[in-house]
Amino acid sequence: MTYAEDRLRYTQGTTSVVERVSECLKRIETSTHNAYLQVLADEALKQAQESDERFASGLARPLEGMIVAVKDNISLKGARLTCASRMLETFEPVFDATVIERLRDAGAVFIGKTNMDEFAMGSSNETSAFGNVHHPTHPGKVPGGSSGGSAVAVAASTCHVALGSDTGGSVRQPAAFCGVYGLKPSYGAVSRYGLVAFASSLDQIGVFANSAADAAAVMEVIGGHDPMDSTSCQEPLPAARSTNGPRKIGRIGSALLKDCSESVVQAYEQYCERLINAGCTVVEIELPASEVWIPTYFILATAEASSNLARFDGVRYGLRVQGSADGEVDMITATRSAGFGTEVKRRIMLGTYVLSSGYHDAYYVTAQKARRVIADGYTKVFEQVDLLVMPTTPTPAFDFAANVDPVQMWLSDLFTVSANIAGIPAMSIPVGLDANGLPIGIQVQAPMFADADMLAWADGQSNATP
Ligand code: GLN
C-alpha cells in the first residue's frame, strides 16, 4: 500500500480517502499485533472527509489523504503521549510536534499512536509497558524496536507511512525485521520539537514506508529548519543529485560480517553483486573504529538519557506516587520506582554512573573522543565513495525472549548505531526473505545532508530490474 498509488486513485476517483481510512481502521480492529496504543478513528474519518472534499474541489495539498501512524513518543495534540511507559500513561500533550504540524498542513490523516519500547529503549518492543508488538507475519518473532509498532503498522497495511524515532537504529532495525523501508534522516534535517528526548545528540524522527518515494515525499514536507529546534539545520536541505546513474559504492569486509547469520551474509553478497551488474563500482571500505561503535553509543545514549529522563519526577508530567514518608524526595523516588520499567532504570543507572565525577573522564569523555574519530572517519570514507551499503541487522527477526541478556540485545544494534554517532543519513531497504520467510534489510548510508540523494538513489534501485 503506497501513497503514490493511492493518490492517483484519489485523483481518478477510483477510491476515496474515507474508504481507505475505513479499510485501515477495520484492519487495525481485527489485528492482533498490538501495534497501536491509541486509534484515532473519529478524527481520522473527519480528516479524511475534508481530504475528499479538497480532492473534489481541486485543492488537494502535497500529502492530501496520506494515512499516517505516529510513534507514541511524538506529540500529537488531542491524543495521549505515553512513550509506552506507566510514567506517562494518561499524559496529554498541549501542542503538536513540528513534524505533525507540517504533515497536518500538507493534508495528512493521523490514524493512531503506535506501540514502542518504553522511552524508545530497546530493540524488540519487549520493553513496552503495554505489551509486546507481534511480528506482522511470524507471531513468535519480535518486530524489532524501538519503533516496532510503527513498522508493523506499515507492514500490515494499516497506514501509508508511519513516523518513528531513531537514536541508534530504532527505525532501520524494525523496518528490516518487518520488510519495509525505514529512513533515519541526517541529524538536524528534521525538527525534534515535540519528540520526547531519549538521547538528544543522537535522536532523529524517521519514516517507515512501503517505498523510497513515499519516504522522500514525507521528508520533503517535514525536513528543514525549525525555529523551535536550535539543532535543526539552518540551510535548506540539498536536492537529490541530478544523475541517478551508477555510483561508487563502499561495502564492508568479512571481519564486520563475522557475527551475521548466513542468510544475511548471502543477501548482502547478492545485493553487492546486483549493484556491480547495474554498473556501480563496489569497493571494500574499512569503516572507522567499528570495534567501539557499540560501547560509544551506549555510553553517550545512557548519559544523555539519565539527564533527559530526570524531568519525570512526579511533579511536572504524568504519574505521581506518594512515598511512605512525607517530602518530595520520597515522592520522587516512589514515582520513578513505580513509573519506569527495568530497561529504563538500567539505562538511567548506567548513564548516571558514566557521568559521575569519578568516572566522567574515563567513560563519558573517552566516548566523546571516540565519537569524533568515528565521525571524522566517515567524512574520509565519503571522500572515496558516494554511498555505503551494509546489512541493517546481523540476523533476521529473532524470537521473543531470545535476548534476555541486555548486552546481547545491545549487540544486535551493531550496524545501526554508527550513523547516529556520526549524524549521517541512513536507510533500510527490504531486499527479500530468508528460507523461513523472514524479511532481510540492507542499509544504505550517505554523506551528511545527502538524504534526498540517498532516497532518490534507493527509489531508482527499486525500479531497476534485478
Ligand atoms: N536499540 C537501541 C537502544 O536500545 C536503539 C534505540 C533507538 O534507536 N531508539 O538504545
Side-chain angles (χ1 to χ4, degrees), residues 143-217:
S146 64
S147 318
S150 288
V152 173
V154 171
S157 301
T158 63
C159 56
H160 290 118
V161 304
L163 296 179
S165 65
D166 190 312
T167 305
S170 278
V171 168
R172 289 160 286 157
Q173 186 253 25
F177 280 9
C178 294
V180 299
Y181 287 80
L183 164 72
K184 181 206 87 79
S186 300
Y187 186 78
V190 175
S191 167
R192 290 181 295 113
Y193 181 66
L195 167 70
V196 178
F198 161 9
S200 315
S201 78
L202 303 159
D203 296 341
Q204 267 298 275
I205 290 175
V207 185
F208 293 90
N210 279 312
S211 72
D214 275 4

Side-chain angles (χ1 to χ4, degrees), residues 2 8 23 30 59 74 101 105 126 170 187 205 236 240 325 329 340 343 349 356:
T2 69
L8 216 60
E23 285 165 20
T30 52
L59 293 174
I74 298 173
E101 200 176 84
D105 289 347
E126 290 167 293
S170 278
Y187 186 78
I205 290 175
V329 173
F340 290 138
E343 184 64 20
M349 280 161 62
S356 60

Side-chain angles (χ1 to χ4, degrees), residues 232-315:
S232 72
C233 54
Q234 298 295 327
E235 305 292 325
L237 292 169
R241 272 162 55 170
S242 53
T243 72
N244 209 22
R247 298 282 179 91
K248 196 162 181 199
I249 311 278
R251 60 154 295 167
I252 58 171
S254 50
L256 255 178
L257 290 169
K258 72 177 187 321
D259 294 322
C260 292
S261 74
E262 223 169 277
S263 59
V264 166
V265 175
Q266 201 186 355
Y268 182 58
E269 294 302 341
Q270 275 170 3
Y271 192 76
C272 291
E273 208 47 47
R274 214 184 101 180
L275 293 177
I276 294 169
N277 292 339
C280 294
T281 311
V282 177
V283 291
E284 193 172 315
I285 290 285
E286 176 112 28
L287 285 171
S290 54
E291 66 289 355
V292 297
W293 286 350
I294 292 278
T296 303
Y297 169 77
F298 276 96
I299 291 170
L300 296 177
T302 55
E304 293 186 31
S306 73
S307 162
N308 273 325
L309 270 61
R311 63 174 62 102
F312 302 107
D313 55 5
V315 177

